[in-house]
């Protein structure tokens, strides 16, 4: 399938209700409103195709950009490639669920994520922290430096309340993911979650929302989900 065929297929799969949902979460035109599950048959047909993924991502169409992440070859992408993708990842569903997810399957994942975390840019920071969540939730504990992850927990503890909105979400999820998926620091994650307490987001809305990593870790523990690892990062 070439670019034109894929775009026609995506347009045919679009649903108005899904489109409205994406728009309410920060997507903007152009987009078709394709449910991620509806893309799977086409993904199975195409498999991995980095040149096509690059063409799709460059369209600026949200559905095409998402599908680009599904068929991309992360190991063929350089830091410059991931930075280029981040440059046009204009809202969190692209930064955290397309770019960060794709990066999590690359050998350079930690190196790139570390740079994004210290960038000072909201969505780059969010993608960096989110990438670690995808990594910790998939890869064996031995692939991570315990002292490094512990230091990252300290950074979250000290900075989360003063961080940008989407970065707060990703940092809060980092505490939760360490607490549930990275066994060596389960206790420290609980300790940090307690110290951080509820994290206020959506202050500009009529009603604020509060994130609570401690409560969510406890729920995961009660369900026997401690040590949870995904088989695959991408769908």
């Amino acid at each position: 399938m070439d670019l034109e065929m894929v775009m026609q297929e995506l347009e045919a799969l679009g649903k108005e209700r899904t489109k409205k949902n994406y728009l309410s979460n920060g997507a903007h035109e152009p987009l078709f409103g394709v449910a991620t599950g509806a893309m799977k048959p086409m993904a199975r047909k195409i498999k991995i195709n980095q040149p096509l993924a690059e063409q799709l991502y460059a369209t600026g169409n949200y559905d095409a950009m998402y599908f680009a992440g599904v068929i991309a070859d992360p190991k063929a992408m350089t830091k410059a490639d991931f930075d280029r993708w981040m440059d046009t990842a204009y809202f969190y569903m692209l930064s955290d669920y397309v770019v960060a997810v794709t990066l999590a399957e690359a050998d350079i994942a930690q190196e790139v994520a570390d740079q994004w975390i210290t960038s000072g840019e909201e969505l780059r920071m969010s993608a960096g922290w989110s990438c670690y969540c995808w990594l910790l939730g998939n890869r064996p504990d031995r692939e991570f430096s315990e002292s490094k992850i512990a230091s990252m927990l300290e950074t979250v503890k000290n900075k989360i309340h003063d961080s940008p909105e989407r970065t707060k979400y990703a940092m809060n999820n980092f505490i939760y993911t360490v607490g549930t998926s990275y066994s060596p620091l389960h206790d420290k994650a609980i300790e940090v979650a307690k110290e951080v307490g509820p994290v206020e987001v959506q202050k500009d809305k009529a009603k604020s929302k509060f994130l609570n990593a401690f409560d969510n870790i406890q729920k995961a523990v009660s369900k026997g989900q401690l040590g949870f690892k995904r088989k695959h990062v991408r769908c």
Side-chain angles (χ1 to χ4, degrees):
M1 294 181 76
D2 61 16
L3 176 64
E4 188 179 347
M5 291 168 71
V6 173
M7 293 301 288
Q8 287 174 354
E9 181 74 13
L10 287 172
E11 185 171 10
L13 292 168
K15 303 285 185 195
E16 196 59 34
R17 186 175 175 182
T18 306
K19 182 176 179 177
K20 284 179 182 174
N21 180 43
Y22 291 161
L23 289 168
S24 71
N25 275 284
H28 60 55
E29 295 282 2
L31 76 163
F32 303 127
V34 184
T36 56
M39 296 180 181
K40 287 185 178 180
M42 192 161 52
R44 282 194 289 268
K45 194 185 297 181
I46 296 170
K47 299 186 170 63
I48 299 298
N49 188 325
Q50 185 61 26
L52 180 56
E54 290 289 359
Q55 288 180 309
L56 287 163
Y57 200 84
T59 64
N61 177 296
Y62 169 68
D63 302 291
M65 294 169 86
Y66 187 97
F67 190 63
V70 175
I71 65 167
D73 182 359
K75 289 179 169 41
M77 294 177 71
T78 64
K79 181 187 179 299
D81 292 328
F82 285 111
D83 279 331
R84 181 167 45 78
W85 277 33
M86 268 306 303
D87 288 341
T88 49
Y90 63 86
F91 79 127
Y92 78 96
M93 285 169 68
L94 287 170
S95 62
D96 295 19
Y97 296 102
V98 177
V99 187
V101 170
T102 308
L103 176 60
E105 291 197 4
D107 296 335
I108 56 172
Q110 290 193 51
E111 174 195 335
V112 177
D114 289 344
Q115 292 181 7
W116 288 354
I117 284 168
T118 58
S119 69
E121 298 173 31
E122 180 175 9
L123 290 181
R124 264 186 166 76
M125 292 191 290
S126 177
W129 288 108
S130 292
C131 181
Y132 269 95
C133 294
W134 296 112
L135 288 167
L136 290 163
N138 169 253
R139 299 192 186 186
D141 290 346
R142 65 177 179 275
E143 290 195 21
F144 304 93
S145 160
E146 186 175 334
S147 61
K148 178 182 179 179
I149 302 299
S151 173
M152 291 172 75
L153 281 172
E154 286 296 314
T155 298
V156 172
K157 182 176 77 176
N158 296 329
K159 295 185 175 181
I160 189 168
H161 290 291
D162 299 316
S163 292
E165 183 93 342
R166 287 314 316 181
T167 311
K168 284 182 183 179
Y169 277 93
M171 289 171 118
N172 184 77
N173 195 35
F174 178 78
I175 303 172
Y176 167 79
T177 306
V178 175
T180 54
S181 295
Y182 186 64
S183 300
L185 290 176
H186 168 74
D187 291 339
K188 182 170 178 63
I190 287 180
E191 177 190 312
V192 168
K194 282 181 181 175
E195 289 188 58
V196 165
V199 178
E200 187 177 9
V201 291
Q202 296 181 6
K203 290 182 186 178
D204 57 337
K205 300 275 178 76
K207 192 175 180 183
S208 293
K209 179 179 175 181
F210 289 90
L211 311 174
N212 195 314
F214 177 75
D215 286 354
N216 289 332
I217 292 171
Q218 294 308 309
K219 285 175 189 171
V221 171
S222 69
K223 291 176 181 175
Q225 293 173 341
L226 212 57
F228 169 76
K229 299 283 184 183
R230 286 182 189 81
K231 266 190 175 181
H232 306 286
V233 178
R234 291 186 292 172
C235 56

